[in-house]
Amino acid sequence: MLWNYIKVFKRNFFKYSYISFVNVFGLATGIATSLLVFMYVTHEYQYDSFHEKADKIYKLELEINLGEATGMIPVFSAGFGPLFKTSIPEVSDYVRIGQNGTNTITFDNNTFFNEENFIFTDPAFLDVFNFNLKAGDGISALTKPNTVLITEKAAQKYFRDKNPIGEIVYLDSQYPFEITGILENPPTNSTIQFNFIAPLSSYNYMDENKRNIINQEIEDYGMLYTYLYIPENENLAKVETHIHDVLAKYNFDVENKQIKFHPLKSIFFKDNQASKKYILAFLCTGFVILLLAITNYTNLVTSQATLRAKETGIRKVIGAKRFTLFFQFLFEAVTMNFLAFAVGIILLHLSLSVFINVLDLPFNSDYIYNSDFILVLCIAFSVCLISGSIYPAFILSKFNSINLIKSGIGKQASGVAVRKFLTLFQFIASIVLICFSLVIQYQVNYLHEQNTGLTKDQVLVLNIHSEIGKSYQTLKHEISNLNGVLSTSTSRTPIYKSNGGLMFVQSPYNSEMLGLNSLITDENFFNTLDINWISKPTLPLQHNNVIINERAFEMLGANKTDIGGNFAILGESAMLTGIVKDFNFMKLDSEISPLVIHIQNDTSQYLIKNGAYTYLRIAKDAKVSDVISEAKNIIKTFIPSHPFEYYFLDDAYDKLYKREEQTASIFQLFTIVAIVIAALGLFGLASFAINKRTKEIGIRKVVGASLVSIFYLLSKEYFKMIFIAFVIAVPIANYFISEWLNEFAYKIALHWWLYALPGLLITGIALLAIGGRIIKAAIVNPVETLKDE
């Protein structure tokens, strides 16, 4: 019997080859696209889940509550971890991590590299977390100061095929570290990323700042991320109580400051709240794409019943039982689904690298072999089998045998109502996706074009290493005199790459506690970035002058009469000298924050002792590449032992919206796929409907029906469904669009055309999908269609 099923399937597959192609390709496209989405979603939801102890590891944060001012500090002083382990029995171990931003590393060949992932940690790091050592001694790893572990990726980058163990790497050109082991690359869905890991005890052999960090006791502010391993995590409330009591003994302000525990697996979404909404949207869209493909397949298969109606009727007449027919059609549907899934997997492999690279997503193609994603594959395959096989088999096997032989198919058994509902679902989903895609792209364009209150174009930002020391004034003078450089300024903050410092203070004007962002810069900052004034200083800006923005002026409760007076927040010598208009120095998903700008002379050692950033305003007619080349030569003359680093202010601003651009690109992809699937299905359904009514069309032409009237007759049902779908889809789209836009403090207005355009687009696509088929049927000579009557 199985062999008979195979023969029947093969015969029908090739007999109706066009329908078979549409079925397989349409379903395969939906499967491949949805699997791409599910891969991305699985990757994001599995952040840090690869650690065996993930459910028992907690990252600490310090919550500060001072009146209405609340803030979270993610770093601690060095003494917290050891104190908790020795004082609280439930704490089995701790791990502290020091991250230094961008470091300069070099090897014996005196080639300098920028390395952003050089971290320092405790010996327990490899015991608490699951980062596997590929080579080297795991027992002694991270115990000996001035040794370092290197990842496979870094080993390949810096040493290629050479064994790096035993080699010396120099940090900041002065601190030697011996490579003692090679680690597997951390997974892309790890919140802890690194290329080099050195023992935290190495800080004792470095500069004074590092020695102060490692020897710092229980203080409010520190520089180390701290994790606790608590095996009996059901006693977490007890641990929190113990911590409260322990810190109180150290005169720690436990009334206004609390230690917060964040489970390791929750950290990614805690730090990326917007990502969670995007991922949920992607997950829902992935399911919609899969349902569209299955809907398409089901519609076409049940419509195809008209072509096999008499076959089914004759089988019933000669004794075939319904369950036998059910299993035959189920076998055919399962085989078709299996073929579609196989083609879908092939399409997934072919498109995966392009999908990742074009959208710049944070995972690699190897993730397709991850056990979590293999489970997703199995679930998706099961959904396709159940949804795309059982219902069609049920419909095809239940037809009444007498009606089948007499007229081909019984009206009640044809599944017309279900097909209409499924087609309506396709239209609704397509309209919603098009609406969302349009709005996202419109919002992204709006953010890029938004006036931020400062000049971003033609501003080059140079990273100046602290090694420059007292020579900075000379370096800046030479750069300022370059052809094409209009103005220069120095700042401790790289705008659009950092939010500046955050301080919690009591207003000297209304005594309220509040959080203020701060920038430390020089007197040329406002002119270089073209920042507008509300109250401009009457005298040239000097050392320890303070400028605040409008938001800070309002929140501090200051008056214009306070300008020129002492600004007690920053010390007795600080003077409030002016107010600038609000300008965006952070991402536009929140209102402009209160900002205090502290003026330091650009020759001040305080301004450059930890490195600084020089802003160059370049003339529009200048050749930017020449300015960069000449600035590089000057900097390399003064700082030969560090790589040349720079960025453009407008590029940095655009990169703030990388997530939104990814979202727009992904939804555009989804929309195109959904339209293709819907158009394929619509074309197939129209073909079936027209084939059934070929003789009717011939008769109508014989009695004088025009081409327009025939076109209207055959298409009005589809356009009626498009109208109903539009009415249903617009409120749905509006709800989700409004929720998404609420994430932004600055957002577009929702114009009527953003909803009307998708409806018109779907109507046009429907015309293209069915119009040609209808016209072709309508212009056929009726003699050809009626001659066998």
Side-chain angles (χ1 to χ4, degrees):
M1 181 171 289
L2 179 61
W3 180 247
N4 184 58
Y5 288 170
I6 294 173
K7 286 198 299 183
V8 172
F9 171 78
K10 181 180 177 183
R11 182 176 66 238
N12 284 295
F13 186 86
F14 289 105
K15 181 178 180 180
Y16 308 112
S17 57
Y18 167 73
I19 304 301
S20 300
F21 169 78
V22 172
N23 272 337
V24 171
F25 182 75
L27 186 54
T29 302
I31 289 170
T33 306
S34 60
L35 287 179
L36 285 172
V37 179
F38 296 152
M39 178 182 291
Y40 175 62
V41 170
T42 303
H43 177 274
E44 301 296 283
Y45 267 105
Q46 294 298 318
Y47 253 86
D48 293 318
S49 297
F50 62 93
H51 298 293
E52 293 178 5
K53 302 173 182 176
D55 293 329
K56 300 175 181 180
I57 301 172
Y58 296 86
K59 185 180 181 183
L60 303 185
E61 281 197 353
L62 181 64
E63 182 181 84
I64 299 179
N65 296 289
L66 298 173
E68 295 184 2
T70 300
M72 301 295 292
I73 298 177
V75 286
F76 288 78
S77 57
F80 279 88
L83 175 66
F84 293 156
K85 181 180 179 180
T86 56
S87 305
I88 302 170
E90 291 82 5
V91 176
S92 177
D93 218 332
Y94 65 90
V95 173
R96 299 165 299 177
I97 297 177
Q99 292 180 312
N100 304 317
T102 302
N103 294 104
T104 301
I105 63 170
T106 188
F107 305 95
D108 291 336
N109 58 6
N110 290 323
T111 302
F112 300 98
F113 302 92
N114 286 325
E115 179 55 64
E116 297 181 354
N117 290 318
F118 197 116
I119 70 172
F120 295 81
T121 189
D122 291 303
F125 181 85
L126 296 180
D127 294 327
V128 173
F129 299 106
N130 285 97
F131 297 109
N132 300 320
L133 195 67
K134 296 283 289 184
D137 183 6
I139 297 176
S140 62
L142 300 177
T143 58
K144 184 181 177 182
N146 296 332
T147 60
V148 67
L149 303 178
I150 186 172
T151 62
E152 294 174 295
K153 180 175 67 175
Q156 178 62 31
K157 174 182 177 181
Y158 295 115
F159 297 97
R160 300 195 179 276
D161 298 327
K162 181 181 177 182
N163 183 2
I165 295 179
E167 296 290 331
I168 303 297
V169 56
Y170 294 90
L171 182 66
D172 290 336
S173 303
Q174 54 183 321
Y175 305 117
F177 287 83
E178 180 186 358
I179 299 174
T180 59
I182 302 175
L183 287 162
E184 286 184 357
N185 297 325
T188 52
N189 56 353
S190 170
T191 52
I192 302 173
Q193 293 291 328
F194 53 85
N195 287 327
F196 295 84
I197 306 182
L200 196 56
S201 57
S202 302
Y203 275 5
N204 285 313
Y205 301 88
M206 298 174 70
D207 60 43
E208 183 181 356
N209 287 335
K210 295 294 190 294
R211 292 196 299 272
N212 289 339
I213 290 173
I214 193 61
N215 295 311
Q216 193 177 19
E217 295 298 330
I218 306 302
E219 298 182 21
D220 287 352
Y221 303 101
M223 295 295 291
L224 302 176
Y225 297 96
T226 302
Y227 299 80
L228 298 183
Y229 171 46
I230 306 175
E232 305 297 330
N233 56 2
E234 62 271 13
N235 294 325
L236 191 60
K238 187 177 179 181
V239 173
E240 291 176 341
T241 301
H242 282 176
I243 284 178
H244 182 279
D245 296 339
V246 168
L247 292 178
K249 294 178 182 178
Y250 282 79
N251 297 320
F252 192 79
D253 185 5
V254 293
E255 296 301 321
N256 296 315
K257 298 168 186 174
Q258 295 181 328
I259 304 291
K260 294 294 182 181
F261 290 74
H262 298 291
L264 183 63
K265 291 197 290 188
S266 72
I267 291 171
F268 175 73
F269 283 125
K270 182 191 76 67
D271 295 336
N272 300 274
Q273 287 295 323
S275 294
K276 191 168 188 178
K277 288 193 174 183
Y278 290 141
I279 293 167
L280 285 172
F282 293 153
L283 180 62
C284 293
T285 308
F287 277 117
V288 168
I289 293 288
L290 187 59
L291 288 176
L292 281 175
I294 294 173
T295 295
N296 216 36
Y297 170 80
T298 304
N299 266 348
L300 291 174
V301 169
T302 54
S303 297
Q304 197 177 4
T306 59
L307 304 177
R308 300 183 61 185
K310 291 184 180 179
E311 173 197 335
T312 305
I314 292 172
R315 285 178 182 272
K316 282 193 170 187
V317 167
I318 62 176
K321 302 297 183 183
R322 181 177 176 183
F323 76 86
T324 305
L325 292 171
F326 176 80
F327 281 112
Q328 177 188 329
F329 292 127
L330 183 63
F331 171 81
E332 294 180 11
V334 168
T335 304
M336 188 73 79
N337 273 268
F338 182 82
L339 284 174
F341 209 86
V343 174
I345 294 295
I346 294 171
L347 292 176
L348 174 65
H349 270 281
L350 294 176
S351 61
L352 183 55
S353 295
V354 176
F355 180 72
I356 292 172
N357 294 332
V358 171
L359 300 180
D360 196 18
L361 296 177
F363 62 94
N364 56 51
S365 56
D366 292 340
Y367 193 74
I368 197 170
Y369 305 109
N370 182 278
S371 58
D372 295 321
F373 184 64
I374 290 174
L375 177 62
V376 171
L377 281 177
C378 295
I379 293 172
F381 184 55
S382 301
V383 170
C384 288
L385 285 181
I386 294 170
S387 304
S389 302
I390 294 178
Y391 174 73
F394 176 77
I395 288 292
L396 291 169
S397 63
K398 79 169 189 174
F399 297 145
N400 181 280
S401 56
I402 301 298
N403 287 337
L404 289 169
I405 296 173
K406 284 177 59 181
S407 58
I409 190 167
K411 182 178 179 181
Q412 293 180 345
S414 62
V416 171
V418 174
R419 285 201 299 278
K420 285 184 177 180
F421 173 78
L422 295 178
T423 303
L424 186 66
F425 167 75
Q426 286 185 316
F427 287 142
I428 293 171
S430 298
I431 292 171
V432 170
L433 282 175
I434 294 172
C435 283
F436 217 112
S437 183
L438 280 174
V439 168
I440 291 174
Q441 190 60 59
Y442 191 22
Q443 173 68 11
V444 170
N445 293 340
Y446 173 80
L447 292 173
H448 283 308
E449 296 166 2
Q450 184 73 8
N451 181 7
T452 59
L454 55 78
T455 296
K456 304 186 296 291
D457 299 336
Q458 298 291 114
V459 176
L460 176 68
V461 186
L462 306 176
N463 186 359
I464 308 298
H465 195 273
S466 59
E467 185 182 314
I468 187 67
K470 295 181 179 180
S471 300
Y472 177 68
Q473 185 178 20
T474 306
L475 179 146
K476 184 183 177 185
H477 177 74
E478 290 192 21
I479 290 177
S480 299
N481 288 330
L482 291 176
N483 290 330
V485 175
L486 300 177
S487 177
T488 59
S489 174
T490 307
S491 175
R492 287 280 300 277
T493 303
I495 292 180
Y496 300 139
K497 288 195 172 186
S498 170
N499 297 336
L502 178 64
M503 55 184 181
F504 297 93
V505 299
Q506 184 176 37
S507 170
Y509 308 113
N510 59 17
S511 300
E512 289 188 7
M513 300 299 300
L514 66 154
L516 296 174
N517 286 88
S518 64
L519 291 178
I520 301 173
T521 187
D522 67 10
E523 63 273 17
N524 295 323
F525 180 77
F526 308 96
N527 179 54
T528 301
L529 297 186
D530 199 22
I531 296 171
N532 295 316
W533 292 93
I534 294 292
S535 178
K536 189 174 183 178
T538 54
L539 298 173
L541 288 172
Q542 299 178 9
H543 189 70
N544 277 345
N545 282 178
V546 175
I547 306 296
I548 60 176
N549 66 354
E550 295 173 272
R551 181 70 174 148
F553 180 78
E554 175 188 334
M555 293 185 66
L556 286 166
N559 295 307
K560 290 285 183 72
T561 55
D562 294 316
I563 297 176
N566 173 255
F567 195 70
I569 293 172
L570 296 179
E572 294 298 324
S573 62
M575 179 187 296
L576 179 62
T577 56
I579 305 167
V580 292
K581 285 188 176 181
D582 287 339
F583 63 92
N584 293 98
F585 55 96
M586 296 188 292
K587 197 174 178 182
L588 297 182
D589 53 0
S590 59
E591 296 284 352
I592 293 176
S593 300
L595 177 66
V596 173
I597 303 171
H598 191 192
I599 304 301
Q600 296 272 331
N601 290 341
D602 64 9
T603 56
S604 167
Q605 291 302 299
Y606 177 75
L607 191 58
I608 60 174
K609 71 176 183 178
N610 292 316
Y613 295 86
T614 300
Y615 292 76
L616 278 63
R617 179 85 170 271
I618 301 174
K620 290 186 178 181
D621 58 349
K623 192 172 181 180
V624 176
S625 59
D626 288 346
V627 175
I628 294 173
S629 178
E630 292 173 8
K632 179 180 179 180
N633 292 334
I634 293 171
I635 290 175
K636 293 298 287 184
T637 301
F638 285 88
I639 318 174
S641 58
H642 294 277
F644 175 68
E645 290 184 273
Y646 69 93
Y647 72 92
F648 290 99
L649 202 58
D650 54 352
D651 287 344
Y653 177 78
D654 290 341
K655 287 178 181 177
L656 292 176
Y657 301 99
K658 178 181 176 181
R659 168 68 71 175
E660 285 72 22
E661 289 179 345
Q662 285 178 342
T663 303
S665 299
I666 291 173
F667 268 100
Q668 286 166 5
L669 172 65
F670 292 162
T671 302
I672 292 170
V673 172
I675 289 171
V676 168
I677 292 172
L680 279 173
L682 198 57
F683 186 80
L685 287 175
S687 297
F688 278 121
I690 292 166
N691 286 340
K692 284 176 60 179
R693 303 177 70 174
T694 301
K695 291 183 174 60
E696 176 191 343
I697 294 170
I699 294 171
R700 288 182 178 275
K701 290 193 71 176
V702 168
V703 298
S706 66
L707 178 63
V708 173
S709 64
I710 292 174
F711 185 89
Y712 172 75
L713 175 72
L714 298 177
S715 63
K716 65 178 180 180
E717 184 177 348
Y718 297 104
F719 294 114
K720 186 187 298 182
M721 282 194 288
I722 290 173
F723 177 77
I724 296 171
F726 180 78
V727 172
I728 297 172
V730 167
I732 296 173
N734 183 69
Y735 171 78
F736 288 109
I737 287 169
S738 299
E739 285 292 306
W740 182 73
L741 286 175
N742 285 338
E743 296 289 327
F744 300 92
Y746 304 88
K747 54 193 174 184
I748 60 171
L750 293 176
H751 302 291
W752 63 269
W753 59 266
L754 288 169
Y755 299 104
L757 189 58
L760 293 174
L761 186 59
I762 287 294
T763 303
I765 291 167
L767 277 172
L768 290 174
I770 66 176
R773 188 68 186 86
I774 292 174
I775 292 172
K776 182 180 178 181
I779 62 176
V780 172
N781 190 332
V783 174
E784 296 296 325
T785 58
L786 299 175
K787 64 182 179 180
D788 61 341
E789 296 296 322

